[in-house]
């Protein structure tokens, strides 16, 4: 296993993300699923400069991106969006694309449950078939009930995998979400077995590993027992403390930066957070490395 990082949590030039992560012992990246932001040649050059690899890319599900949408054109657009991420990741040498089927923050269904389930199965199958042509894997990520109503636990994601019936579909396991939805996190890990294709790092409070209550030595030990040997991707995303305790957010927020585009900002807000300043964000990335690296070396 090796240490990786997502980059959607702090919009900044990729060179800054790679420089920070490489200095702290990270060796790969899980790119945000916005292909228009990454010119392939330039990105390849940056990865080479910092001796990094692209491990994966992850869907950024805001706006009209939704495999369970009533509108068939909207579902088709979502499938095509996910295919574009597969293209980007494949060109950069990635192994996996992690997908969330529905819009983050959409908490109520718009159609009958059976219909929405069928649409999600059809959409994931279409995306996975396309990924198979590129020798790529698809990892479906269960989210907690406060971010989605569709695919929140291990039974549900395993059922989806069974219905899609393609060997390149597995699970993106995020302990932050799963600890909220499963009665036993370690038992949930064991149930996944060899179907874990991606693994995210955030503690029970979505702070960095080591700053919450999860037992990371046991988690890593159990993950190793499942046979997983891929990336462990930093994805800490704490809420902003908007009280006097946190100086009304000033200790965390980037108050002077240009800020992300509207879509990226909305996705961050959908996670009840904000755009972190460099000092605070670096602290989160460093803390993850301090906790995880001794467990995998």
């Amino acid at each position: 296993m090796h240490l990786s990082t997502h980059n959607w949590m702090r919009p900044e030039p990729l060179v800054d993300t790679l420089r920070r992560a490489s200095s702290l012992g990270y060796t790969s990246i899980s790119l945000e699923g916005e292909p228009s932001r990454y010119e392939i040649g330039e990105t390849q050059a940056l990865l080479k400069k910092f001796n990094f690899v692209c491990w994966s890319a992850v869907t950024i599900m805001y706006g009209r991106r939704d495999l369970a949408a009533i509108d068939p054109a909207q579902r088709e657009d979502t499938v095509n969006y996910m295919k574009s991420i597969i293209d980007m990741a494949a060109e950069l040498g990635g192994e996996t694309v992690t997908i969330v089927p529905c819009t983050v923050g959409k908490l109520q269904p718009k159609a009958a449950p059976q219909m929405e389930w069928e649409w999600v199965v059809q959409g994931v199958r279409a995306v996975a078939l396309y990924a198979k042509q590129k020798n790529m894997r698809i990892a479906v990520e269960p989210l907690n009930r406060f971010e989605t109503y569709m695919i929140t636990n291990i039974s549900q994601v395993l059922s989806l995998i069974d219905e899609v019936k393609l060997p390149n579909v597995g699970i993106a396991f995020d302990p932050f979400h799963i600890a909220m939805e499963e009665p036993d996190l370690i038992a949930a890990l064991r149930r996944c077995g060899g179907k874990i294709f991606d693994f995210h790092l955030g503690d029970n409070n979505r702070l960095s590993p080591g700053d919450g209550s999860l037992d990371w030595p046991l988690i890593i030990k159990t993950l190793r027992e499942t046979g997983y040997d891929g990336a462990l991707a930093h994805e800490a995303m704490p809420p902003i403390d908007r009280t006097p305790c946190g100086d009304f957010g000033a200790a965390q927020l980037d108050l002077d930066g240009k800020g992300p585009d509207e879509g990226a900002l909305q996705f961050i807000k959908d996670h009840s957070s904000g755009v972190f300043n460099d000092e605070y964000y670096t602290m989160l990335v460093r803390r993850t490395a301090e906790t995880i690296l001794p467990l995998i070396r």
Side-chain angles (χ1 to χ4, degrees):
M1 288 181 278
H2 70 273
L3 199 55
S4 184
T5 183
H6 290 267
N7 71 324
W8 65 265
M9 299 89 72
R10 186 175 194 269
E12 64 183 357
L14 183 58
V15 63
D16 294 341
T17 302
L18 296 177
R19 181 181 295 112
R20 177 192 301 108
S22 65
S23 72
L24 295 171
Y26 292 73
T27 56
S28 80
I29 191 161
S30 295
L31 283 172
E32 62 175 333
E34 298 292 357
S36 63
R37 296 179 187 165
Y38 301 101
E39 196 281 322
I40 296 300
E42 293 177 2
T43 304
Q44 288 172 330
L46 281 174
L47 292 172
K48 182 177 181 180
K49 177 179 178 180
F50 291 98
N51 198 27
F52 256 55
V53 297
C54 175
W55 161 255
S56 69
V58 60
T59 57
I60 305 297
M61 301 299 287
Y62 67 86
R64 288 176 51 81
R65 296 168 179 173
D66 186 2
L67 290 178
I70 293 177
D71 181 3
Q74 185 178 346
R75 298 198 301 272
E76 183 179 1
D77 287 345
T78 303
V79 168
N80 289 333
Y81 159 69
M82 292 178 175
K83 288 180 178 179
S84 74
I85 300 175
I86 292 168
D87 289 337
M88 175 186 73
E91 288 191 74
L92 292 171
E95 298 183 22
T96 304
V97 168
T98 288
I99 68 171
V100 171
C102 302
T103 309
V104 173
K106 177 187 174 187
L107 300 181
Q108 296 295 327
K110 303 294 185 182
Q114 296 91 336
M115 290 302 303
E116 291 197 336
W117 178 258
E118 290 177 13
W119 292 335
V120 168
V121 170
Q122 291 167 4
V124 173
R125 183 181 293 124
V127 171
L129 283 169
Y130 187 78
K132 190 176 180 181
Q133 298 172 14
K134 307 274 184 175
N135 199 31
M136 297 281 293
R137 304 187 303 176
I138 296 298
V140 181
E141 181 178 8
L143 302 184
N144 71 76
R145 70 191 72 183
F146 303 110
E147 295 185 33
T148 188
Y149 63 93
M150 177 73 74
I151 314 296
T152 61
N153 61 47
I154 298 306
S155 293
Q156 292 167 353
V157 72
L158 287 174
S159 179
L160 177 65
I161 292 168
D162 285 343
E163 291 205 27
V164 171
K165 292 182 172 62
L166 289 170
N168 66 324
V169 181
I171 300 167
F173 196 105
D174 187 325
F176 163 72
H177 296 296
I178 302 303
M180 203 179 302
E181 299 298 335
E182 292 283 348
D184 187 329
L185 178 67
I186 299 303
L189 260 177
R190 291 181 176 133
R191 282 188 66 200
C192 294
K195 296 305 290 184
I196 298 176
F197 287 1
D198 193 17
F199 194 90
H200 298 172
L201 295 172
D203 221 304
N204 69 296
N205 49 12
R206 212 158 200 181
L207 290 171
S208 298
D211 287 336
S213 63
L214 296 184
D215 186 341
W216 288 98
L218 180 58
I219 289 171
I220 298 302
K221 175 179 179 291
T222 307
L223 185 59
R224 187 174 282 116
E225 290 170 357
T226 70
Y228 185 76
D229 193 32
L232 307 175
H234 166 82
E235 201 183 29
M237 193 63 176
I240 302 300
D241 186 346
R242 301 180 187 276
T243 73
C245 298
D247 196 15
F248 301 101
Q252 296 169 285
L253 288 170
D254 186 353
L255 302 177
D256 301 320
K258 179 180 177 182
D261 61 48
E262 184 178 348
L265 181 59
Q266 184 58 53
F267 191 70
I268 290 170
K269 287 181 176 179
D270 287 341
H271 287 78
S272 302
S273 196
V275 180
F276 301 133
N277 62 52
D278 180 77
E279 181 180 2
Y280 182 74
Y281 188 71
T282 299
M283 180 275 294
L284 294 172
V285 180
R286 179 182 294 111
R287 181 64 173 138
T288 293
E290 290 171 348
T291 300
I292 299 299
L293 282 176
L295 301 176
I296 61 176
R297 282 175 170 162

